[in-house]
Amino acid sequence: MPAVIPRLIDSCHETDPKISETAHAALDAVTLTIDHTETQKLRKLLLSAILFADKHTHECLDALSEMTFVNALDAASLALMVPVLARGLRERSSSVVKQASMTASNIFALVRDPKELVRTRTDTTGLPIRPS
C-alpha cells in the first residue's frame, strides 16, 4: 500500500483527464481495502484533503486531531495520512502548521512498528525519502 497510494495520488493530478479519472477511481477502490476502523471512518475526508488540498486540508487536520484512535496505525493508513500532514506543514498559516505538527506527533505515537512509519516517510515537500 505505501508504494501504491503515492503513485495513485500523483496520477490523480495528471493533466490528462482519462488518467486523472482512472487514478481517482483506483485510489478510491484501493483505500476501501485498508483494514483499519478509524482510517475507514476518515477515508472520504482524507481523500478529499489529498485531492483538493486547498479546500479540505484544514478540515481534515481537525478531524484527525479530534479522532480517538483505538488501534495502532499501519503503513496503509499512514500512506493516506502522511500526505495530508505534509501539506499542513507546508501551509503559510502558523496555526495550521502548529495543528499539523501536533496532529503528526499524536499520530506517529500510534505507530507500533517503526518500520511502518519509515516506509511512508516524506519530507515537507511531500517527496518520498528513501530509508537509509
Side-chain angles (χ1 to χ4, degrees):
M1 250 344 148
V4 173
I5 290 176
R7 290 194 172 113
L8 287 174
I9 291 169
D10 290 342
S11 297
C12 286
H13 298 293
E14 284 287 327
T15 55
D16 184 342
K18 289 181 182 179
I19 294 173
S20 178
E21 290 170 14
T22 304
H24 281 200
L27 186 61
D28 190 50
V30 165
T31 58
L32 279 172
T33 66
I34 295 174
D35 188 31
H36 190 270
T37 307
E38 292 88 0
T39 302
Q40 283 301 320
K41 288 178 184 175
L42 296 171
R43 187 181 71 82
K44 288 288 189 187
L45 187 55
L46 287 163
L47 289 175
S48 294
I50 289 169
L51 300 174
F52 309 104
D54 293 342
K55 297 179 183 177
H56 299 286
T57 299
H58 187 62
E59 177 186 0
C60 189
L61 288 172
D62 284 340
L64 281 169
S65 64
E66 292 172 5
M67 174 63 73
T68 301
F69 288 91
V70 177
N71 304 303
L73 291 172
D74 57 0
S77 297
L78 291 169
L80 270 182
M81 293 177 190
V82 168
V84 176
L85 296 171
R87 170 64 188 218
L89 292 171
R90 291 191 313 267
E91 287 290 321
R92 291 181 185 222
S93 167
S94 61
S95 64
V96 174
V97 172
K98 182 179 178 181
Q99 181 182 20
S101 299
M102 290 174 27
T103 304
S105 174
N106 292 337
I107 285 176
F108 296 154
L110 297 170
V111 177
R112 184 174 302 147
D113 183 4
K115 291 177 186 172
E116 300 287 324
L117 184 56
V118 170
R119 291 176 14 188
T120 58
R121 287 190 315 174
T122 61
D123 63 15
T124 56
T125 64
L127 300 172
I129 297 174
R130 301 278 182 233
S132 39

